[in-house]
Amino acid sequence: MKTIFTAIFIILLLSACTKTLDVKLRSTEPKIVIQGNVTNSGGPYYIRINKTVDFDANNEYPPVVNATVSVLDSNTRRVDYYKYTGVNGYYISNNLFGQVGHTYKLTVTVDGETYTASSTMPNFVGINQLDFVQTKILNKTRILPQVTFTDPAYEKNYYVFSLAVNNVTYKAFYAVDDRLTDGNEMVQQLYMDSSYIQKRDFVTVILSSVDKNVYNYFNVLQANSGASPTTPSNPPSNISNGAYGYFGAEAVSMVSQSF
């Protein structure tokens, strides 16, 4: 039976910027969905825990309110225990600050079942420039954001981009790697399916450097967005014990500009 959940890509830079993505999954029974990250931008950080629902059920994802949630900084051996916020399955960190090169281990216990995930924060890669380019789409001239950044040489890098327009998160994302562009200046145009930039719009672009597991998760979601809705591939979660979702340690760069 098909199920559906909402994947939340949470990035905290100056203020919370939340990306919401509708993702279809193949499953025969309700599953735990765990979503969250740690970034180099400072806390608080959030972990969201929900359960899947049937595809034909109401578009509501029951929050898990009785979980025990902790994140271990494997480099410092410090453990931060998250508290439930009382809202939509979100748990909030207490005293955690993400650092590049550190490995973070998530542990979640729900009804006697334990789920774990581990992620190492990659090196920081900054956005050099945000531009706006004219593109012909369906015989109409559209304005799209375009970012330029420099990929570090001699290392494997994975990136996920997200954006907001007038402080409203655009419901899409862009997963790329440097397989063919190692060490080069990279230019990434952020295609917008149904919304386009207008005069005086305020645009924010976030570049997240992620590990391979997090990239694989978002890359499959990206592929599913153009696939048949009846045969989606389940995103490859990096969380143990059959849970859906992802946990990532991400080095983020953000730039904002008015058109």
Side-chain angles (χ1 to χ4, degrees):
M1 183 178 296
K2 292 180 290 182
T3 61
I4 185 169
F5 70 88
T6 301
I8 305 299
F9 181 26
I10 304 170
I11 297 177
L12 295 171
L13 290 166
L14 304 181
S15 60
C17 179
T18 302
K19 176 184 293 299
T20 302
L21 305 168
D22 290 330
V23 183
K24 291 174 181 149
L25 296 170
R26 293 181 292 190
S27 181
T28 58
E29 59 184 20
K31 292 280 189 178
I32 293 291
V33 183
I34 302 171
Q35 305 158 90
N37 59 9
V38 173
T39 76
N40 61 316
S41 64
Y45 308 113
Y46 294 89
I47 302 295
R48 189 182 187 188
I49 308 173
N50 295 79
K51 289 186 177 181
T52 59
V53 295
D54 290 343
F55 179 75
D56 55 358
N58 292 333
N59 192 28
E60 298 177 357
Y61 312 102
V64 174
V65 302
N66 62 336
T68 300
V69 181
S70 67
V71 173
L72 166 70
D73 183 329
S74 296
N75 294 67
T76 66
R77 306 308 300 174
R78 294 184 63 178
V79 179
D80 190 18
Y81 289 92
Y82 284 48
K83 293 182 179 180
Y84 185 52
T85 65
V87 179
N88 296 331
Y90 283 101
Y91 292 75
I92 188 171
S93 64
N94 294 300
N95 187 25
L96 181 66
F97 193 101
Q99 299 182 63
V100 168
H102 285 216
T103 298
Y104 297 90
K105 181 179 178 180
L106 170 71
T107 302
V108 174
T109 302
V110 179
D111 297 331
E113 295 288 336
T114 298
Y115 309 88
T116 63
S118 181
S119 181
T120 299
M121 190 179 298
N123 290 329
F124 173 83
V125 177
I127 296 174
N128 296 334
Q129 187 172 330
L130 169 61
D131 298 304
F132 299 98
V133 296
Q134 292 187 351
T135 302
K136 281 282 189 179
I137 300 176
L138 298 177
N139 294 322
K140 292 185 179 181
T141 300
R142 305 294 190 181
I143 304 298
L144 299 177
Q146 176 177 282
V147 292
T148 303
F149 63 101
T150 303
D151 179 74
Y154 309 115
E155 64 181 69
K156 192 62 182 175
N157 298 97
Y158 304 91
Y159 307 103
V160 176
F161 292 87
S162 56
L163 65 91
V165 179
N166 299 323
N167 297 317
V168 177
T169 304
Y170 181 63
K171 295 183 180 181
F173 63 93
Y174 316 85
V176 300
D177 66 12
D178 67 347
R179 181 170 59 90
L180 301 177
T181 56
D182 180 58
N184 295 331
E185 182 176 78
M186 297 178 67
V187 178
Q188 181 69 34
Q189 189 174 116
L190 306 180
Y191 176 75
M192 304 177 72
D193 185 34
S194 59
S195 301
Y196 301 93
I197 307 301
Q198 306 294 326
K199 281 292 185 183
R200 294 180 292 278
D201 278 348
F202 183 73
V203 178
T204 298
V205 175
I206 300 170
L207 181 161
S208 298
S209 296
V210 301
D211 66 21
K212 185 176 182 180
N213 287 332
V214 173
Y215 166 80
N216 288 340
Y217 177 86
F218 281 100
N219 193 42
V220 170
L221 295 190
Q222 182 174 250
N224 281 352
S225 66
S228 167
T230 60
T231 57
S233 300
N234 286 348
S237 174
N238 66 339
I239 301 172
S240 70
N241 203 11
Y244 291 137
Y246 83 103
F247 171 72
E250 307 170 9
V252 297
S253 172
M254 180 178 72
V255 62
S256 298
Q257 185 174 316
S258 294
F259 173 59

